[in-house]
Amino acid sequence: MSEKIPVTVLTGYLGAGKTTLLNRILTENHGKRYAVIVNEFGEIGIDNDLVVGAEEEVFEMNNGCICCTVRGDLIRILDGLMKRKGKFDAIIVETTGLADPAPVAQTFFMDQDVSDTARLDAVVTVADAKWLAERLKDAPEAKNQIAFADVILLNKIDLVSDEELQNVERMIRAINPYAKLHRTKNCDIALSEVLDRNAFDLDRIMEIEPDFLEDGHHHHHDDDIQSISVSYDGEVNPEKFMPWISQITQEQGPNILRCKGILAFPNEPKRFVFQGVHMILDGDVQQDWKPGEKRVSRVVFIGRDLDAEAIRLDFLATVAE
C-alpha cells in the first residue's frame, strides 16, 4: 500500500471554493510535489487559468465528467504520470462542480494498471455554508458529493449565522455522519487535515463516532440518502463474508454510493480493509491489530433505498463460529 501514489479527489459544487483550496495546496511551503489533474466541464477549461503557476504539473480534462467518459481520459493521464514516477509525491484530481465523484473514484479500482500504482487516499468535498442547503434541495450532484466525502470543508462560514451553520451541519450529518467535518473561511486549513489522510483505513470514523465500536448498528438517513453501519465485537469468516459483500455490491451496486469496512479474520494478525464505489470493490490486509486491541469487525454503507435490517442480519450471519 505504502508504495502506491496517494490520490486525493477534490470535489464540491460550483463556487464552493475548490480552486481556493487547490491554490492553497500548491502555494504552501510543504516540501511535497503534486501532480494536479483539473477536470473542467465544458469545451473550454477555465479552471486551469485560475490555478496558480507552480512547479506542479497541471493536466486538464475537457470532456466533461457528467458521464463516465471521464474515465478513459483519467486513465490515460494517470498512465502518463506513472511513467514519470519519482517526480511527484502525490496526485490531486479536481473534479468539475457538476460532477458525481463516482466515475472518478471508480477509476482507482477498475483499471488494473492504475490500481497497481495509485491508491485513493481520500475524497475531499468543499461545501458552501451559505448555499449548500439550497443545493441539497435542487442538485443531486451536491448531495452525492457530500455522501462520497471522507473529509468535508464547510467553507464560507463567515457568511452565515451560528443558527444557519448548525442547520447546514445537521443536513450534512443526515447524509454522511462519518466524514471528518471542518469549518473554514477561504478554505484556510492545515493541509495535514486534507492530504495524506489514508481515510480508507476507516480508523478516522473513530474520531467522529467514538461509540462506533459498540455492538449493534447505527442507521442515519436523509430523505433519500442513508448511511448504515454495523459492528460485531469479534471475527468474521472470510469464506462467508467475501461471497456476501460481492453479492450485495453486485445486486445493490447502483444504490450503494460508498461502502467500506475493517474486518478481523480468524488466524490473521492484520486487519482486512475494503472499500467500494457502487459495484466496484477493492480490499487487502493492512496494518497489524495492536496488542490488546479489540478485534472488532465493522462495515459502513452509504446509499439509497438500502434495507438496513437485511444488511445487519446478513453481515452478522458471516461471523466466525
Side-chain angles (χ1 to χ4, degrees):
M1 290 286 290
S2 59
E3 295 175 5
K4 295 183 180 183
I5 298 286
V7 180
T8 301
V9 175
L10 184 56
T11 186
Y13 206 69
L14 299 167
K18 293 188 304 301
T19 302
T20 302
L21 177 60
L22 185 57
N23 282 340
R24 194 174 286 281
I25 293 168
L26 298 187
T27 52
E28 280 202 17
N29 185 19
H30 42 58
K32 289 194 173 183
R33 297 161 302 166
Y34 292 98
V36 180
I37 302 171
V38 179
N39 172 213
E40 177 59 29
F41 177 65
E43 293 301 311
I44 300 170
I46 55 167
D47 271 11
N48 202 25
D49 298 329
L50 302 176
V51 175
V52 290
E55 289 184 10
E56 287 81 357
E57 303 279 356
V58 177
F59 299 88
E60 198 161 9
M61 305 190 303
N62 282 334
N63 64 347
C65 72
I66 292 294
C67 61
C68 295
T69 53
V70 63
R71 202 177 286 134
D73 232 5
L74 186 55
I75 289 170
R76 178 178 53 77
I77 291 170
L78 288 168
D79 186 53
L81 278 176
M82 292 311 166
K83 292 187 171 75
R84 305 159 72 174
K85 208 170 173 182
K87 294 190 175 180
F88 55 90
D89 302 300
I91 298 170
I92 299 169
V93 182
E94 183 193 9
T95 70
T96 163
L98 296 172
D100 180 336
V104 173
Q106 281 177 310
T107 305
F108 298 95
F109 309 111
M110 291 188 72
D111 184 81
Q112 190 65 49
D113 290 339
V114 171
S115 64
D116 284 347
T117 52
R119 64 175 174 83
L120 187 53
D121 183 69
V123 176
V124 178
T125 297
V126 183
D128 185 328
K130 187 168 180 61
W131 292 108
L132 182 65
E134 292 300 312
R135 295 294 75 79
L136 291 177
K137 294 175 191 170
D138 62 20
E141 301 87 2
K143 197 171 275 192
N144 284 350
Q145 289 162 358
I146 295 295
F148 261 85
D150 300 295
V151 179
I152 297 171
L153 270 60
L154 186 54
N155 195 35
K156 306 185 183 181
I157 59 168
D158 49 320
L159 302 182
V160 296
S161 67
D162 284 347
E163 186 180 350
E164 288 172 309
L165 193 58
Q166 289 172 17
N167 181 50
V168 75
E169 284 187 352
R170 277 194 297 271
M171 296 173 83
I172 288 171
R173 284 288 174 233
I175 297 169
N176 185 340
Y178 308 115
K180 183 77 174 171
L181 182 60
H182 301 277
R183 297 177 174 185
T184 61
K185 299 178 195 172
N186 298 316
C187 291
D188 190 2
I189 189 169
L191 295 187
S192 59
E193 298 288 355
V194 177
L195 301 172
D196 206 20
R197 295 294 295 167
N198 199 18
F200 281 117
D201 76 359
L202 247 199
D203 282 350
R204 302 289 177 183
I205 286 180
M206 295 301 297
E207 297 176 27
I208 304 124
E209 200 170 332
D211 66 346
F212 191 76
L213 291 179
E214 294 177 5
D215 289 342
H217 75 295
H218 309 270
H219 177 214
H220 309 258
H221 65 89
D222 184 60
D223 290 332
D224 65 337
I225 293 184
Q226 59 195 137
S227 51
I228 301 159
S229 63
V230 193
S231 127
Y232 174 69
D233 192 359
E235 299 171 334
V236 299
N237 182 342
E239 293 182 8
K240 293 181 180 177
F241 177 80
M242 294 302 196
W244 171 68
I245 195 67
S246 178
Q247 181 181 2
I248 190 173
T249 49
Q250 291 308 306
E251 292 177 354
Q252 303 282 321
N255 294 332
I256 297 172
L257 295 173
R258 287 281 293 276
C259 64
K260 36 187 168 173
I262 292 178
L263 304 159
F265 289 158
N267 306 314
E268 172 53 67
K270 294 181 180 293
R271 308 143 168 252
F272 180 82
V273 179
F274 79 90
Q275 54 167 315
V277 177
H278 290 312
M279 289 174 246
I280 313 301
L281 277 176
D282 185 29
D284 203 355
V285 288
Q286 290 189 13
Q287 76 257 38
D288 288 345
W289 293 94
K290 300 185 186 90
E293 182 181 10
K294 287 173 72 175
R295 289 168 63 95
V296 175
S297 300
R298 54 201 191 271
V299 294
V300 173
F301 292 84
I302 295 179
R304 293 180 171 89
D305 301 321
L306 300 174
D307 186 334
E309 186 61 12
I311 287 174
R312 186 182 77 86
L313 291 174
D314 288 349
F315 172 67
L316 294 176
T318 71
V319 302
E321 298 295 330

